Amino acid sequence: MNAQEQIKEYIASQPEPKRSDIQELHHRILQVLPGCKLWFDNGKNNENKTVNNPTIGYGFYTIKYADGKTRDFFQIGLSANKTGISIYILGIKDKTYLAQTYGKKLGKASVTGYCIKFKTLKDINIGILEAAIRYGFEAQNEKAS
């Protein structure tokens, strides 16, 4: 099964109203990042143990570990969790940037170094969320060029 099929299945497996919110976010992220690479991480490790929530990924990012190893991964992640939805924006060096720049404008969301969490789409300003996603994508691509 390819990433698009896995994503479709994952979204369909979510209960309403979360399903509609994730579908809307998926559509909007694809509009913000047209033609980006799509990923699906099922949340399981090599031993088939669940280690995190399944995540839809967008874009391309190389994680560099302290031991010098690297791993190809996505830049932007979208995931359902028990209390709502999380958006991950990887590769931003300044861990305070998201919270300082977008935190107060987002609405009812908690913002950490690379994660924006909220209960439902109606709790947040989607335009501000799109701006944060665009920033994360562009900041990462500027470093790569």
Side-chain angles (χ1 to χ4, degrees), residues 83-144:
T83 59
I85 298 169
S86 297
I87 300 282
Y88 304 98
I89 303 175
L90 305 179
I92 299 174
K93 290 285 185 222
D94 180 352
K95 298 299 176 205
T96 64
Y97 185 84
L98 280 180
Q100 288 177 344
T101 306
Y102 303 104
K104 286 185 172 62
K105 300 177 206 167
L106 266 167
K108 288 200 235 172
S110 72
V111 185
T112 61
Y114 65 92
C115 182
I116 299 170
K117 288 183 187 174
F118 50 94
K119 190 169 172 80
T120 68
L121 261 183
K122 68 179 192 273
D123 292 337
I124 63 160
N125 181 324
I126 189 72
I128 299 298
L129 180 64
E130 287 176 356
I133 290 167
R134 193 173 292 110
Y135 168 80
F137 187 76
E138 289 169 357
Q140 185 60 38
N141 285 321
E142 284 172 14
K143 284 192 290 189

Side-chain angles (χ1 to χ4, degrees), residues 3-43:
Q4 282 185 318
E5 292 167 335
Q6 290 175 302
I7 291 166
K8 194 173 184 178
E9 199 171 271
Y10 171 67
I11 293 171
S13 75
Q14 298 301 312
E16 284 296 352
K18 198 177 288 186
R19 178 183 321 137
S20 295
D21 283 356
I22 291 192
Q23 182 65 55
E24 175 72 14
L25 283 165
H26 177 62
H27 178 71
R28 286 181 176 256
I29 294 169
L30 291 174
Q31 285 181 320
V32 172
L33 311 174
C36 70
K37 178 177 171 73
L38 282 178
W39 304 68
F40 185 75
D41 177 358
N42 66 7

Side-chain angles (χ1 to χ4, degrees), residues 38-91:
L38 282 178
W39 304 68
F40 185 75
D41 177 358
N42 66 7
K44 297 184 188 285
N45 67 10
N46 294 342
E47 293 145 22
N48 209 30
K49 290 184 181 163
T50 301
V51 293
N52 61 334
N53 291 320
T55 304
I56 302 168
Y58 309 85
F60 185 84
Y61 173 62
T62 301
I63 297 174
K64 294 176 180 79
Y65 295 102
D67 65 3
K69 291 181 182 171
T70 61
R71 176 179 173 203
D72 292 342
F73 212 58
F74 48 80
Q75 283 177 276
I76 310 296
L78 167 60
S79 180
N81 56 54
K82 284 182 181 167
T83 59
I85 298 169
S86 297
I87 300 282
Y88 304 98
I89 303 175
L90 305 179

